[in-house]
Amino acid sequence: AQSVAQPEDQVNVAEGNPLTVKCTYSVSGNPYLFWYVQYPNRGLQFLLKYITGDNLVKGSYGFEAEFNKSQTSFHLKKPSALVSDSALYFCAVRPFSGAGSYQLTFGKGTKLSVIP
Amino acid sequence: DGGITQSPKYLFRKEGQNVTLSCEQNLNHDAMYWYRQDPGQGLRLIYYSQIVNDFQKGDIAEGYSVSREKKESFPLTVTSAQKNPTAFYLCASSLTPGTGAGELFFGEGSRLTVL
């Protein structure tokens, strides 16, 4: 069975500083990896995905994520944080194929607070 | 605009009542999903459907039921057998995994409160 760990419940960062939200995963075979953002009482918005190829993936709103196969990690990054980035961030994984390929498994989420 | 519409956004239920949450999509996606979100627990899969007239249980299907009579619609019924139904419910859809990465597109959610 696949799983996702987001080791930090909350990340605080000053506006203008770089931010990192951590994610590690476990899955059989090759993974598809995703990051989503959620604002209060709203649905999840897709930020970016890793399929294959370049380990650095660029997404919406200036976010990017780095895939590291040896460390089974997919950390979300942004060079300069904005107050409007404050939200709940979810990492998700599903296997490339086979059993469970329809089941996207989510981490428990990391609350990002950007301090003015 | 293409997207996923969930209704109602807020719903109150008395204990012992069944309620049905609506989910409609116009993205022409074959796959649809229902997730439950509780504070600090992330999202947990209730049911998913790969195609019309077919659906499978997810991790926490007990006390819930679904139907998929049309491609566009995937309603979720929260039955009186669900012991702790107060939660935020999210519907999503995707292309069939294998035709792409299968990223999910979410509706805005329905918040169910049991009084």
Side-chain angles (χ1 to χ4, degrees):
Chain A
Q2 61 248 36
S3 64
V4 174
Q6 293 182 241
E8 301 154 318
D9 291 335
Q10 177 145 357
V11 170
N12 297 322
V13 63
E15 187 176 22
N17 282 3
L19 70 85
T20 298
V21 182
K22 296 179 180 177
C23 170
T24 58
Y25 67 91
S26 172
V27 70
S28 296
N30 293 321
Y32 285 142
L33 293 156
F34 308 86
W35 275 102
Y36 287 84
V37 61
Q38 185 182 34
Y39 296 96
N41 293 311
R42 303 294 298 275
L44 276 67
Q45 296 178 30
F46 170 75
L47 280 179
L48 52 80
K49 64 185 175 186
Y50 172 81
I51 302 175
T52 186
D54 195 346
N55 289 343
L56 186 64
V57 178
K58 294 190 183 298
S60 305
Y61 313 119
F63 284 94
E64 57 190 27
E66 186 168 11
F67 172 66
N68 187 316
K69 186 172 184 177
S70 63
Q71 297 185 3
T72 61
S73 67
F74 189 55
H75 301 330
L76 182 70
K77 301 182 179 185
K78 188 174 183 181
S80 178
L82 300 173
V83 172
S84 57
D85 293 329
S86 298
L88 189 58
Y89 289 81
F90 290 96
C91 181
V93 67
R94 73 167 186 84
F96 189 83
S97 63
S101 62
Y102 272 87
Q103 299 194 32
L104 197 64
T105 298
F106 288 83
K108 294 188 176 182
T110 298
K111 183 179 179 181
L112 174 67
S113 294
V114 181
I115 304 161
Chain B
D1 288 352
I4 299 177
T5 301
Q6 289 188 240
S7 64
K9 188 164 179 62
Y10 299 97
L11 184 61
F12 297 90
R13 185 193 97 174
K14 293 182 180 179
E15 284 194 24
Q17 288 182 334
N18 293 354
V19 294
T20 297
L21 308 180
S22 170
C23 178
E24 303 277 334
Q25 57 101 356
N26 60 4
L27 298 170
N28 200 32
H29 287 167
D30 282 314
M32 296 187 74
Y33 312 78
W34 275 103
Y35 285 87
R36 170 179 171 144
Q37 184 178 17
D38 296 282
Q41 295 195 46
L43 277 71
R44 293 181 290 169
L45 182 64
I46 305 172
Y47 269 98
Y48 67 100
S49 169
Q50 300 177 28
I51 201 167
V52 174
N53 293 322
D54 182 65
F55 48 83
Q56 284 79 40
K57 294 181 179 179
D59 300 320
I60 56 163
E62 185 175 353
Y64 299 98
S65 66
V66 294
S67 63
R68 187 84 187 276
E69 298 177 1
K70 299 187 301 181
K71 186 176 184 177
E72 301 80 15
S73 180
F74 191 42
L76 174 74
T77 297
V78 184
T79 75
S80 57
Q82 169 49 234
K83 290 183 171 54
N84 185 20
T86 295
F88 192 51
Y89 291 88
L90 289 159
C91 179
S93 70
S94 75
L95 292 170
T96 301
T99 61
E103 63 265 32
L104 271 57
F105 295 84
F106 283 86
E108 288 296 298
S110 293
R111 186 168 296 281
L112 172 62
T113 302
V114 174
L115 303 173

